[in-house]
Amino acid sequence: QVQLVESGGGLVQAGGSLRLSCAASGRTFSSWRMGWFRQAPGKEREFVAGITASGGSTLYADSVKGRFTISRDNAKNMLYLFMNSLNPEDTAVYYCAKAREYTAPYYVSRSYDYWGQGTQVTVSS
Protein backbone atom coordinates (compact mmCIF):
# COMPACT_ATOMS: atom_id res chain seq x y z
CA GLN A 1 0.00 0.00 0.00
CA VAL A 2 1.25 3.45 -0.92
CA GLN A 3 0.57 6.41 1.33
CA LEU A 4 1.33 10.00 0.36
CA VAL A 5 0.89 12.92 2.75
CA GLU A 6 1.34 16.52 1.64
CA SER A 7 2.19 19.42 3.92
CA GLY A 8 3.43 22.97 3.73
CA GLY A 9 0.46 24.72 2.19
CA GLY A 10 -0.86 27.99 3.49
CA LEU A 11 -1.56 31.61 2.74
CA VAL A 12 1.11 33.62 0.99
CA GLN A 13 1.24 37.04 -0.60
CA ALA A 14 1.68 37.40 -4.35
CA GLY A 15 5.35 37.31 -5.24
CA GLY A 16 6.16 35.15 -2.26
CA SER A 17 7.47 31.62 -1.98
CA LEU A 18 6.34 28.39 -0.41
CA ARG A 19 7.71 24.87 -0.12
CA LEU A 20 5.41 21.90 -0.26
CA SER A 21 6.45 18.50 1.03
CA CYS A 22 5.13 15.03 0.35
CA ALA A 23 6.03 12.18 2.68
CA ALA A 24 5.78 8.81 0.98
CA SER A 25 5.53 5.34 2.41
CA GLY A 26 7.00 2.27 0.80
CA ARG A 27 10.44 0.76 0.52
CA THR A 28 10.43 1.21 -3.25
CA PHE A 29 9.92 4.98 -3.27
CA SER A 30 13.23 5.36 -5.05
CA SER A 31 11.79 3.47 -8.03
CA TRP A 32 8.69 5.66 -8.40
CA ARG A 33 8.24 8.47 -10.84
CA MET A 34 6.39 11.22 -8.98
CA GLY A 35 4.39 14.29 -9.79
CA TRP A 36 2.61 17.32 -8.40
CA PHE A 37 -0.87 18.32 -9.52
CA ARG A 38 -3.19 21.10 -8.46
CA GLN A 39 -6.91 21.72 -8.58
CA ALA A 40 -8.82 24.94 -8.10
CA PRO A 41 -12.58 25.00 -7.43
CA GLY A 42 -14.53 24.43 -10.61
CA LYS A 43 -11.45 23.45 -12.58
CA GLU A 44 -9.94 20.17 -13.68
CA ARG A 45 -6.93 18.75 -11.93
CA GLU A 46 -3.86 20.20 -13.60
CA PHE A 47 -0.36 18.82 -13.96
CA VAL A 48 2.27 20.97 -12.30
CA ALA A 49 5.56 19.08 -12.32
CA GLY A 50 7.01 15.60 -12.62
CA ILE A 51 10.26 13.94 -11.67
CA THR A 52 11.96 10.67 -12.51
CA ALA A 53 12.75 8.06 -9.89
CA SER A 54 16.35 9.13 -9.49
CA GLY A 55 15.51 12.81 -9.64
CA GLY A 56 17.69 13.24 -12.69
CA SER A 57 14.99 14.58 -14.98
CA THR A 58 12.08 16.94 -14.39
CA LEU A 59 9.13 18.22 -16.36
CA TYR A 60 7.03 21.32 -15.71
CA ALA A 61 3.77 22.75 -16.90
CA ASP A 62 4.25 25.89 -18.95
CA SER A 63 2.34 27.87 -16.34
CA VAL A 64 4.93 27.19 -13.64
CA LYS A 65 8.14 26.64 -15.58
CA GLY A 66 10.88 28.88 -14.26
CA ARG A 67 9.02 29.54 -11.02
CA PHE A 68 8.56 26.10 -9.46
CA THR A 69 11.13 23.42 -8.76
CA ILE A 70 10.35 19.78 -8.07
CA SER A 71 12.88 17.69 -6.17
CA ARG A 72 13.10 14.54 -4.11
CA ASP A 73 15.16 12.97 -1.37
CA ASN A 74 14.95 9.23 -1.85
CA ALA A 75 16.86 8.50 1.36
CA LYS A 76 14.04 10.21 3.27
CA ASN A 77 11.13 9.15 1.04
CA MET A 78 10.32 12.81 0.45
CA LEU A 79 9.09 14.77 -2.53
CA TYR A 80 9.20 18.57 -2.61
CA LEU A 81 7.82 21.43 -4.62
CA PHE A 82 9.53 24.78 -4.25
CA MET A 83 7.22 27.53 -5.45
CA ASN A 84 8.56 30.99 -6.16
CA SER A 85 7.03 34.17 -7.57
CA LEU A 86 3.57 32.99 -6.63
CA ASN A 87 0.53 34.70 -8.07
CA PRO A 88 -3.20 34.38 -7.33
CA GLU A 89 -3.61 32.00 -10.28
CA ASP A 90 -1.51 29.49 -8.34
CA THR A 91 -4.23 29.23 -5.69
CA ALA A 92 -5.36 25.60 -5.56
CA VAL A 93 -5.21 22.39 -3.63
CA TYR A 94 -1.89 20.76 -4.44
CA TYR A 95 -1.51 16.99 -4.61
CA CYS A 96 1.49 14.74 -4.87
CA ALA A 97 1.07 11.53 -6.81
CA LYS A 98 2.86 8.33 -7.76
CA ALA A 99 3.07 7.46 -11.43
CA ARG A 100 1.98 4.10 -12.76
CA GLU A 101 4.88 1.92 -13.78
CA TYR A 102 3.93 1.56 -17.43
CA THR A 103 1.61 4.46 -18.09
CA ALA A 104 2.18 7.58 -20.16
CA PRO A 105 2.03 10.48 -20.74
CA TYR A 106 3.64 11.89 -17.65
CA TYR A 107 1.53 15.03 -17.53
CA VAL A 108 -2.01 13.62 -17.22
CA SER A 109 -3.66 12.49 -14.02
CA ARG A 110 -4.61 9.06 -15.40
CA SER A 111 -0.91 8.20 -15.46
CA TYR A 112 -0.85 8.23 -11.64
CA ASP A 113 -2.31 5.59 -9.35
CA TYR A 114 -1.79 6.95 -5.82
CA TRP A 115 -2.56 10.41 -4.51
CA GLY A 116 -2.10 12.37 -1.33
CA GLN A 117 -4.92 14.16 0.45
CA GLY A 118 -3.85 17.55 -0.83
CA THR A 119 -2.67 20.75 0.79
CA GLN A 120 -4.26 24.15 0.22
CA VAL A 121 -2.19 26.96 -1.24
CA THR A 122 -3.79 30.39 -1.27
CA VAL A 123 -2.03 33.34 -2.87
CA SER A 124 -3.39 36.77 -2.08
CA SER A 125 -3.07 39.77 -4.35
Side-chain angles (χ1 to χ4, degrees), residues 24-46:
S25 67
R27 64 184 183 274
T28 58
F29 174 74
S30 61
S31 69
W32 304 343
R33 296 159 62 201
M34 298 290 294
W36 286 97
F37 287 75
R38 65 187 183 186
Q39 188 168 25
K43 296 184 178 180
E44 295 182 349
R45 189 165 296 185
E46 174 189 24

Side-chain angles (χ1 to χ4, degrees), residues 18 22 25 31 47 59 61 64 74 81 84 93 96 104 109 116:
L18 205 61
C22 174
S25 67
S31 69
F47 172 78
L59 181 68
V64 306
N74 286 344
L81 184 68
N84 300 308
V93 176
C96 66
S109 60

Side-chain angles (χ1 to χ4, degrees), residues 72-85:
R72 65 193 298 161
D73 185 341
N74 286 344
K76 298 180 179 179
N77 278 22
M78 294 291 291
L79 178 73
Y80 303 100
L81 184 68
F82 295 86
M83 305 184 295
N84 300 308
S85 301

Side-chain angles (χ1 to χ4, degrees), residues 1-4 6 22 24-25 28-29 31-37 45 47 72 95-117:
Q1 194 79 264
V2 176
Q3 182 179 0
L4 305 172
E6 303 95 335
C22 174
S25 67
T28 58
F29 174 74
S31 69
W32 304 343
R33 296 159 62 201
M34 298 290 294
W36 286 97
F37 287 75
R45 189 165 296 185
F47 172 78
R72 65 193 298 161
Y95 300 88
C96 66
K98 170 195 170 292
R100 302 178 188 272
E101 286 82 358
Y102 301 104
T103 303
Y106 209 165
Y107 51 87
V108 298
S109 60
R110 67 176 181 269
S111 295
Y112 296 79
D113 55 359
Y114 289 92
W115 298 80
Q117 85 287 354

Side-chain angles (χ1 to χ4, degrees), residues 64-75:
V64 306
K65 189 174 184 179
R67 299 189 298 119
F68 290 11
T69 301
I70 186 172
S71 64
R72 65 193 298 161
D73 185 341
N74 286 344

